[in-house]
């Protein structure tokens, strides 16, 4: 694929790079920690405060802010008129804390309509960006020398949901979660043992399926014979 250098130079010239410290400072002011309170606290405390409201670390937030400006994924790219750290932070908070509309109004001092519009806008951008973040290492599909025997660790994660309506029955048993004893969706999340990297996600699936069933139908088919995973007793066959 050819690259138009004029377009590339214009895109890079418009980059707005923020450090983790810059993002943390502005974010904490947004949620009630003024500069004096931040300066009196340790860096560990301020990072903990940031995570309590936004889930990710300041470094992760800074990386996402840059990635949304530089990605080659069309649906994830943040254009100049859309570039607003305030709204991205609002999306982080919405995803992590899922506040009621009035709580969100009180924190961000904007209307519910604005909160929902921009939170969901940036959630869509972040979801599209996942295509460049959740990647399966190419060498794991080969018998190349140096590829370890143990590759990854996997676990099933259930996320609570409203119960899907069954076409004929009053209850949908296929959605029942043995973990929460209610309707859920299951996600199979796989991490590399050797680096801080999510390599595979399978889901959402109705939580009535066991972790073992989900593993057999999906991830197991991706792993070369002779390679091993670290898992809990739920995957013991």
């Amino acid at each position: 694929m050819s690259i138009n250098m004029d377009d590339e130079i214009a895109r890079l010239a418009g980059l707005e790079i923020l450090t983790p410290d810059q993002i943390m400072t502005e974010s904490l002011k947004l949620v009630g920690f003024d500069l004096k309170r931040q300066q009196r606290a340790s860096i560990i405390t301020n990072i903990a405060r940031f995570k309590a409201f936004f889930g990710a670390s300041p470094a992760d937030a800074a990386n996402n802010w840059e990635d949304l400006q530089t990605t080659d994924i069309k649906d994830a790219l943040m254009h100049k008129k859309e570039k607003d750290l305030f709204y991205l932070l609002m999306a982080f908070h919405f995803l992590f804390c899922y506040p009621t509309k009035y709580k969100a109004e009180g924190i961000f001092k904007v209307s519910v309509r604005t909160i929902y519009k921009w939170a969901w806008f940036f959630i869509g951008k972040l979801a599209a960006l996942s295509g460049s973040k959740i990647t399966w290492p190419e060498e794991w599909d080969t018998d190349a020398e140096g590829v370890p025997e143990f590759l990854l660790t996997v676990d099933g994660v259930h996320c609570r949901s409203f119960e899907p309506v069954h076409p004929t029955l009053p209850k949908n048993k296929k959605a029942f979660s043995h973990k929460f004893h209610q309707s859920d969706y299951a996600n199979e999340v796989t991490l590399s043992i050797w680096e801080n990297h999510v390599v595979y996600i399978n889901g959402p699936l109705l939580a009535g399926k066991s972790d073992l069933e989900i593993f057999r139908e999906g991830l197991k088919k991706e792993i070369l014979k002779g390679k091993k995973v670290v898992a809990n007793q739920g995957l013991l066959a």
Side-chain angles (χ1 to χ4, degrees):
M1 181 179 67
S2 60
I3 298 176
N4 185 313
M5 291 306 297
D6 290 337
D7 289 346
E8 184 69 7
I9 291 171
R11 182 172 67 88
L12 294 175
L15 281 181
E16 182 183 345
I17 304 300
L18 298 173
T19 67
D21 284 344
Q22 287 174 319
I23 285 184
M24 183 167 65
T25 298
E26 293 306 311
S27 303
L28 292 181
K29 286 194 292 186
L30 179 65
V31 295
F33 297 97
D34 61 32
L35 197 56
K36 287 184 178 180
R37 291 185 67 190
Q38 292 183 48
Q39 290 172 343
R40 286 199 299 264
S42 68
I43 184 67
I44 294 174
T45 297
N46 282 329
I47 290 174
R49 288 169 171 172
F50 182 93
K51 288 183 176 181
F53 280 90
F54 304 105
S57 69
D60 289 333
N63 286 336
N64 280 323
W65 175 252
E66 181 176 344
D67 290 340
L68 289 170
Q69 299 176 71
T70 59
T71 180
D72 293 325
I73 300 173
K74 182 179 178 181
D75 290 340
L77 185 64
M78 179 175 59
H79 299 288
K80 185 176 181 180
K81 292 182 179 180
E82 302 161 348
K83 195 185 299 181
D84 195 316
L85 179 64
F86 172 77
Y87 291 137
L88 177 62
L89 291 169
M90 199 161 61
F92 282 146
H93 181 76
F94 185 81
L95 283 171
F96 185 64
C97 297
Y98 203 67
T100 64
K101 59 185 180 181
Y102 298 122
K103 286 182 179 179
E105 262 190 321
I107 292 172
F108 296 107
K109 315 301 182 191
V110 293
S111 70
V112 171
R113 177 176 293 185
T114 299
I115 291 168
Y116 284 169
K117 173 186 174 181
W118 287 104
W120 282 110
F121 173 83
F122 274 105
I123 288 169
K125 293 288 184 185
L126 293 169
L129 192 63
S130 66
S132 64
K133 299 292 185 180
I134 304 170
T135 54
W136 186 268
E138 293 182 3
E139 62 270 21
W140 287 7
D141 291 328
T142 71
D143 290 321
E145 185 178 351
V147 177
E149 180 180 6
F150 283 88
L151 297 176
L152 49 87
T153 178
V154 59
D155 197 10
V157 179
H158 286 194
C159 300
R160 299 183 181 187
S161 70
F162 291 111
E163 183 175 342
V165 176
H166 193 280
T168 58
L169 300 175
K171 293 184 179 181
N172 193 335
K173 292 185 178 181
K174 291 183 178 180
F176 181 77
S177 165
H178 68 278
K179 296 184 179 182
F180 292 123
H181 303 290
Q182 67 162 53
S183 177
D184 277 19
Y185 281 102
N187 296 275
E188 183 181 48
V189 181
T190 305
L191 307 175
S192 169
I193 290 177
W194 305 104
E195 57 182 335
N196 184 19
H197 185 199
V198 179
V199 298
Y200 179 91
I201 289 182
N202 185 15
L205 305 165
L206 291 179
K209 277 190 174 182
S210 69
D211 289 350
L212 181 57
E213 286 180 284
I214 296 172
F215 173 73
R216 285 174 171 169
E217 293 175 4
L219 179 60
K220 185 177 180 181
K221 299 175 182 178
E222 304 292 328
I223 302 170
L224 286 183
K225 186 177 181 180
K227 301 302 180 182
K228 297 179 180 179
V229 306
V230 175
N232 59 26
Q233 292 184 342
L235 293 188
L236 289 179

